[in-house]
Amino acid sequence: MAFEKKKQISVRGLAGVENVADLKTNFNRHLHFTLVKDRNVATKRDYYFALANTVRDHLVGRWIRTQQHYYEKDPKRVYYLSLEFYMGRTLQNTMVNLALENACDEATYQLGLDMEELQDIEEDAGLGNGGLGRLAACFLDSMASLGLAAYGYGIRYEFGIFNQKIVNGWQVEEADDWLRYGNPWEKARPEYMRPVHFYGRVDHTADGVQWVDTQVVLALPYDTPVPGYRNNIVNTMRLWSAKAPCDFNLKDFNVGGYIQAVLDRNLAENISRVLYPNDNFFEGKELRLKQEYFVVAATLQDIIRRFKASKFGSTEYVRMDLSTLPDKVAIQLNDTHPALAIPELMRILVDIEKLIWEKAWDIVVRTCAYTNHTVLPEALERWPVDLFQNLLPRHLEIIYEINKRHLERISKLYPGDQDRLRRMSLIEEGDVKKINMAHLCIVGSHAVNGVARIHSEIIKNTVFKDFYDVDPQKFQNKTNGITPRRWLVMCNPGLAEVIAERIGEDYMRDLDQLKKLLEFVDDDTLIRDVAKVKQENKMKFAAHLEEHYKVKINPSSMFDVHVKRIHEYKRQLLNCKLFFLIGSIRGTSPGYHTAKMIIKLITSIGDIVNNDPVVGDRLKVIFLENYRVTLAEKVIPAADLSEQISTAGTEASGTGNMKFMLNGALTIGTMDGANVEMAEEAGEENLFIFGMRVHDVEALDKKGYDAVSYYNGIPELKQAIDQISGGFFSPTQPDLFKDLVNMLMHHDRFKVFADYEDYMKCQEKVSALYKNPKEWTKMVIHNIAGCGKFSSDRTISEYAREIWGMEPSLEKIAAPDDPR
């Protein structure tokens, strides 16, 4: 393997001689166990597993000691429930957080290996669709780095987000078999397997309510360590895998029946087979509801077991008084997907623990909190009552009782206001009766938060206004954040080092310290160093594009990047303007027709532009297929311009915007989501802001949006649309994009044309500034200096203090080899 030795970087940890020698010894030991044969026949994957297991050894002692520490101190614990954890790769992140990166680099170098090549063998853990799942992953990192006794609970999907291939310009989906070679970071914990019940019927007896004749699926937990940043804390992410019980349908034995029963085990185990690839779109499928209940039921059994267990050293249950549960347990619901935690906890407290309803309800509300992630109506979960009646009959009864008591309270506050009762009910009447899961979450939680200030105001003033009027104290804002460990130190070590040389290394734990960079904003050496790192990142990314996409791009050109899941509200169509260089856009759910057409349009524009001899290498349009965490770590440090162009009032927050800002890209964007706060922190003059504000969008809605008038009034826009509809980009199929053009002209909820003119003017400002590299880089430094607020450490500190009743700490605990 030919490679150059990399320089030592302090932010990557120190490579002491003893460290390196120990690592080499352990590496060879693991390689021996992996192969049990001649090292000369080892593959790169063998070397990767040896390195991963060597690094994991440094985690295990800390992991055990952390759990002992929690047992002894008995702190309040927070449980983060999410159907998605978009973790990406683990090896490098672990090395960064344990300060092992340089030592591992040196050890592998001395063994004749290239660590970057070994890192590239690791599969992404793609157990999420986009922002919501990646936010959960950043939050786990921050909770561990802040010393919180935290657990992430989700599903161990056998197949994560699909692998996207572009074939002749069209998206084709392939299964993501991420576990096919095994996962060195997880540990199965069969001793904590839990039963989960489905179907059946409800008996009301003198002894209480019983849910009987159910089908049982077993939940097998797999634990993954989550290391904090250099504080010796290692928390746990526990993901559940579905297993059929041994007696699954084997009651009537005959050979044919036996074979069929064994095959039917797949039906039970399908629950954890695949991640649903729909984000911001609700599909009411029974399997999805099974997944949502499966994770909730298994997790709550685990939470109650851990709550009842005594302090370290005893195996007897000593804490039987569940009234103290909210003092020791906080449950955070990441969107409505884990909403069934509310009726399930009520079922446990009332049916099993025999608490009276009022006492149980008080415990549930004080324990649970809900994060809302979207205001798009098509994304809100509304489950048909008939589906509940069949699958979860007892939970339907509990939800009806919750709703009855809730509406009694509302009718006392607003006598005779039937319309308000209808709006606020958990049950939506209509052709098909449905359960509104967001309403269930609000009623059953003590705190409800949006994920950016503008989003939190929108949910209070519009979508949940009735609930805000009744319980204003419940509603909070918690602006999203990103972990600077993965999104700076790990993916952009050159920039991390340039910053550390000016302000020291403590900013990685306290990102607010980036403000100190403002003292150096006119320093020619800093300007030069920041520009140099950006250019190196662009050259590296250009080489990656040439190798993997067979496209040559000019590293001196502006890298204008639009990274989003494809959705109309994110307005990729606004960016189909032949002025952008790299359209790096994540695929969409396989069934979303409009989004697939948008991908086809982008690739068709690329085909024309990239092969135009007049344009040459001055402009390239590239659709980067299979966008994922690992590709983000390559493209974000190389970007010059970040496109954040959703219609004002539709993007809850965004976190990609923060990643680009931290890595030295400038933002062109609307006043939507967290862009508003980014403009506040860096100064609006240091972002390229354009387009309608929320109140403008509302005014246009009242007046009526007429796309045709913009089409007729803006010649450049008319020409672009005519080219698309006339087949200029699809000469062999002139009508290919007729539906897309029809949507833009007559059914566009997101008002692409209304912002077109202002967007183009703003792009002219971008081009003018880019021609002045020094002023451009000074603006970049202003942006990096304004990133402090957008650390997930700040977000999690606010959740801890204001929702969970916990206090974050930067204190280190003793390492395994230190005396306790």
Side-chain angles (χ1 to χ4, degrees):
M1 301 177 195
F3 59 94
E4 286 181 30
K5 184 74 184 73
K6 292 183 279 293
K7 70 168 185 170
Q8 291 254 319
I9 302 176
S10 58
V11 296
R12 300 168 76 217
L14 300 173
V17 176
E18 287 175 23
N19 274 359
V20 173
D22 285 348
L23 286 166
K24 282 166 65 181
T25 303
N26 284 338
F27 180 93
N28 281 317
R29 179 170 58 85
H30 281 296
L31 191 62
H32 174 73
F33 283 128
T34 302
L35 292 171
V36 201
K37 59 187 175 187
D38 183 359
R39 180 179 162 174
N40 294 326
V41 298
T43 64
K44 282 186 189 174
R45 180 160 281 105
D46 295 325
Y47 289 131
Y48 159 71
F49 272 92
L51 178 58
N53 288 325
T54 302
V55 172
R56 192 187 62 186
D57 288 347
H58 286 256
L59 275 175
V60 171
R62 291 172 170 84
W63 199 5
I64 292 166
R65 180 161 280 198
T66 300
Q67 302 314 310
Q68 288 174 339
H69 175 75
Y70 292 158
Y71 270 117
E72 289 164 2
K73 298 290 182 190
D74 194 26
K76 186 170 185 178
R77 290 166 160 89
V78 60
Y79 298 94
Y80 196 82
L81 271 61
S82 180
L83 268 282
E84 301 181 23
F85 287 96
Y86 206 168
M87 302 299 284
R89 290 175 176 168
T90 296
L91 174 58
Q92 191 183 359
N93 185 70
T94 303
M95 291 190 292
V96 164
N97 280 12
L98 297 187
L100 281 175
E101 202 172 8
N102 266 333
C104 286
D105 200 3
E106 183 63 34
T108 50
Y109 176 73
Q110 289 182 18
L111 290 164
L113 300 165
D114 179 357
M115 193 165 76
E116 278 189 24
E117 281 191 5
L118 300 187
Q119 288 168 353
D120 274 341
I121 287 163
E122 183 175 356
E123 301 278 346
D124 271 48
L127 307 186
N129 279 285
L132 176 143
R134 186 51 235 173
L135 182 80
C138 283
F139 279 3
L140 291 184
D141 181 272
S142 285
M143 289 188 279
S145 297
L146 292 168
L148 296 171
Y151 303 76
Y153 274 94
I155 294 179
R156 180 184 180 262
Y157 299 107
E158 200 176 313
F159 297 94
I161 187 65
F162 60 87
N163 285 321
Q164 177 198 47
K165 294 270 185 265
I166 303 299
V167 179
N168 298 323
W170 294 99
Q171 171 175 293
V172 176
E173 303 87 30
E174 293 180 354
D176 168 40
D177 191 5
W178 71 290
L179 291 168
R180 65 189 175 280
Y181 298 112
N183 176 7
W185 304 104
E186 68 181 9
K187 173 83 175 74
R189 303 299 299 274
E191 67 272 31
Y192 294 120
M193 192 140 59
R194 293 285 173 259
V196 176
H197 298 261
F198 294 101
Y199 304 108
R201 59 187 172 78
V202 182
D203 281 349
H204 291 263
T205 69
D207 296 329
V209 182
Q210 292 182 321
W211 181 18
V212 296
D213 296 340
T214 56
Q215 286 184 20
V216 175
V217 176
L218 299 177
L220 171 65
Y222 286 79
D223 287 358
T224 300
V226 180
Y229 184 69
R230 302 181 188 181
N231 61 355
N232 296 323
I233 297 275
V234 180
N235 283 342
T236 302
M237 175 176 71
R238 177 163 284 181
L239 302 181
W240 300 99
S241 181
K243 294 284 167 204
C246 291
D247 61 352
F248 187 79
N249 278 348
L250 290 182
K251 298 174 187 68
D252 305 316
F253 183 80
N254 62 64
V255 173
Y258 163 70
I259 297 293
Q260 190 56 48
V262 171
L263 296 178
D264 284 349
R265 291 171 62 87
N266 274 332
L267 298 175
E269 294 173 6
N270 279 341
I271 290 173
S272 58
R273 195 80 70 203
V274 63
L275 167 75
Y276 269 84
N278 282 334
D279 207 355
N280 279 306
F281 184 76
F282 171 62
E283 264 193 302
K285 297 283 192 335
E286 181 178 287
L287 178 61
R288 173 65 171 188
L289 185 58
K290 275 186 173 176
Q291 288 181 339
E292 294 184 359
Y293 180 63
F294 174 75
V295 67
V296 155
T299 298
L300 280 169
Q301 289 178 72
D302 224 28
I303 290 172
I304 300 290
R305 172 193 61 75
R306 198 177 284 113
F307 169 78
K308 286 181 174 181
S310 72
K311 292 186 180 182
F312 178 66
S314 167
T315 56
E316 292 178 19
Y317 284 176
V318 297
R319 194 189 275 130
M320 298 306 295
D321 179 10
L322 284 153
S323 66
T324 62
L325 190 77
D327 301 328
K328 289 295 180 183
V329 170
I331 295 173
Q332 190 68 38
L333 308 176
N334 193 25
D335 216 328
T336 56
H337 313 139
L340 287 166
I342 292 165
E344 173 66 4
L345 186 52
M346 281 301 289
R347 188 186 72 81
I348 292 169
L349 295 176
V350 173
D351 295 359
I352 299 170
E353 300 292 339
K354 307 297 184 188
L355 271 65
I356 61 166
W357 181 278
E358 292 76 11
K359 183 71 185 167
W361 184 244
D362 176 65
I363 291 169
V364 168
V365 172
R366 289 196 294 130
T367 302
C368 295
Y370 159 56
T371 300
N372 173 272
H373 281 279
T374 182
V375 294
L376 296 181
E378 67 267 30
L380 296 173
E381 291 195 298
R382 296 175 167 91
W383 287 104
V385 163
D386 290 347
L387 188 56
F388 257 81
Q389 180 68 61
N390 184 39
L391 190 70
L392 300 168
R394 178 58 180 145
H395 297 77
L396 181 61
E397 289 185 350
I398 290 168
I399 289 168
Y400 276 151
E401 182 65 21
I402 292 169
N403 194 43
K404 174 173 161 285
R405 290 164 182 255
H406 160 60
L407 292 181
E408 283 171 358
R409 178 186 173 224
I410 301 304
S411 60
K412 279 180 189 162
L413 292 169
Y414 299 94
D417 192 341
Q418 291 302 313
D419 196 49
R420 185 179 296 268
L421 291 180
R422 179 189 57 75
R423 293 196 309 265
M424 295 185 74
S425 175
L426 309 192
I427 312 296
E428 296 182 354
E429 304 293 340
D431 293 342
V432 177
K433 278 174 78 165
K434 292 180 177 175
I435 301 167
N436 186 312
M437 302 305 272
H439 290 184
L440 174 62
C441 285
I442 295 168
V443 172
S445 298
H446 69 278
V448 177
N449 71 281
V451 289
R453 193 195 315 128
I454 185 174
H455 170 232
S456 296
E457 290 303 310
I458 286 168
I459 64 175
K460 289 194 300 192
N461 296 331
T462 58
V463 65
F464 300 139
K465 182 180 187 303
D466 291 329
F467 293 91
Y468 175 68
D469 290 345
V470 172
D471 290 308
Q473 77 288 346
K474 277 191 182 185
F475 287 78
Q476 304 188 16
N477 174 56
K478 296 286 170 279
T479 298
N480 282 344
I482 58 173
T483 169
R485 272 74 64 179
R486 184 176 290 265
W487 296 113
L488 181 61
V489 180
M490 186 179 131
C491 74
N492 202 343
L495 182 59
E497 185 66 16
V498 164
I499 295 168
E501 283 168 1
R502 269 62 182 198
I503 65 171
E505 292 180 24
D506 284 349
Y507 74 89
M508 288 164 236
R509 279 192 198 84
D510 176 14
L511 208 62
D512 277 331
Q513 293 189 26
L514 289 177
K515 285 191 177 78
K516 295 177 185 173
L517 287 174
L518 292 174
E519 298 166 28
F520 303 94
V521 77
D522 295 313
D523 180 342
D524 284 342
T525 57
L526 178 63
I527 292 167
R528 186 196 65 223
D529 288 352
V530 168
K532 181 169 175 277
V533 166
K534 178 62 72 178
Q535 195 55 32
E536 286 170 355
N537 290 337
K538 288 171 72 173
M539 288 168 73
K540 192 173 176 185
F541 188 63
H544 175 81
L545 284 182
E546 192 168 352
E547 181 184 348
H548 294 278
Y549 293 85
K550 309 299 180 241
V551 179
K552 270 191 131 148
I553 60 172
N554 179 355
S556 303
S557 58
M558 183 198 300
F559 285 18
D560 176 348
V561 185
H562 194 175
V563 170
K564 300 281 165 189
R565 282 172 308 95
I566 305 263
H567 193 294
E568 287 140 293
Y569 87 84
K570 293 179 183 285
R571 300 204 294 189
Q572 280 87 4
L573 288 169
L574 181 57
N575 202 359
C576 287
K577 61 189 186 305
L578 300 190
F579 274 87
F580 68 127
L581 171 69
I582 301 178
S584 165
I585 313 173
R586 181 49 166 142
T588 181
S589 65
Y592 191 3
H593 173 73
T594 304
K596 285 194 170 183
M597 291 307 301
I598 293 171
I599 292 174
K600 178 61 176 170
L601 176 59
I602 294 166
T603 56
S604 300
I605 292 172
D607 288 342
I608 299 289
V609 172
N610 299 346
N611 295 299
D612 188 328
V614 177
V615 174
D617 74 342
R618 288 175 297 165
L619 180 68
K620 297 286 183 194
V621 177
I622 302 161
F623 185 93
L624 294 180
E625 70 183 14
N626 207 29
Y627 187 78
R628 59 203 183 282
V629 173
T630 296
L631 189 50
E633 290 160 7
K634 293 181 171 71
V635 70
I636 289 171
D640 291 307
L641 188 68
S642 160
E643 303 266 352
Q644 305 296 331
I645 58 178
S646 53
T647 315
T650 61
E651 182 76 87
S653 167
T655 48
N657 45 7
M658 304 168 187
K659 291 161 195 165
F660 282 107
M661 184 184 186
L662 183 58
N663 281 276
L666 298 184
T667 301
I668 181 168
T670 52
M671 277 299 203
D672 197 22
N675 298 355
V676 178
E677 290 158 80
M678 285 162 51
E680 265 176 32
E681 295 297 307
E684 195 173 327
E685 69 280 7
N686 292 311
L687 281 77
F688 298 101
I689 298 294
F690 74 94
M692 297 178 287
R693 308 304 204 249
V694 170
H695 59 87
D696 299 318
V697 175
E698 289 167 353
L700 190 53
D701 278 330
K702 282 195 182 122
K703 177 185 160 194
Y705 168 64
D706 177 19
V708 177
S709 65
Y710 293 97
Y711 168 82
N712 288 325
I714 306 169
E716 300 87 353
L717 175 62
K718 184 176 190 302
Q719 182 188 359
I721 295 300
D722 288 349
Q723 282 186 326
I724 293 168
S725 64
F728 179 79
F729 299 108
S730 53
T732 59
Q733 291 176 274
D735 291 345
L736 184 61
F737 300 118
K738 279 274 166 71
D739 287 351
L740 217 46
V741 170
N742 183 55
M743 184 274 290
L744 284 170
M745 297 288 281
H746 304 294
H747 311 286
D748 178 14
R749 291 189 293 153
F750 303 105
K751 307 174 182 62
V752 170
F753 292 1
D755 276 341
Y756 177 86
E757 212 165 14
D758 203 16
Y759 180 55
M760 298 309 289
K761 284 179 190 160
C762 201
Q763 283 284 358
E764 287 168 17
K765 290 182 198 165
V766 172
S767 300
L769 186 65
Y770 193 71
K771 289 172 187 165
N772 185 338
K774 184 172 180 180
E775 290 305 311
W776 178 278
T777 306
K778 282 169 76 169
M779 196 182 274
V780 164
I781 294 166
H782 274 285
N783 273 266
I784 296 169
C787 277
K789 177 178 184 176
F790 305 109
S791 169
S792 47
D793 295 349
R794 187 268 317 151
T795 312
I796 287 298
S797 295
E798 290 180 5
Y799 274 100
R801 293 186 176 117
E802 297 164 23
I803 295 180
W804 303 332
M806 299 167 74
E807 188 57 37
S809 166
L810 294 177
E811 187 186 335
K812 278 174 83 164
I813 65 169
D817 46 359
D818 293 341
R820 299 176 68 184

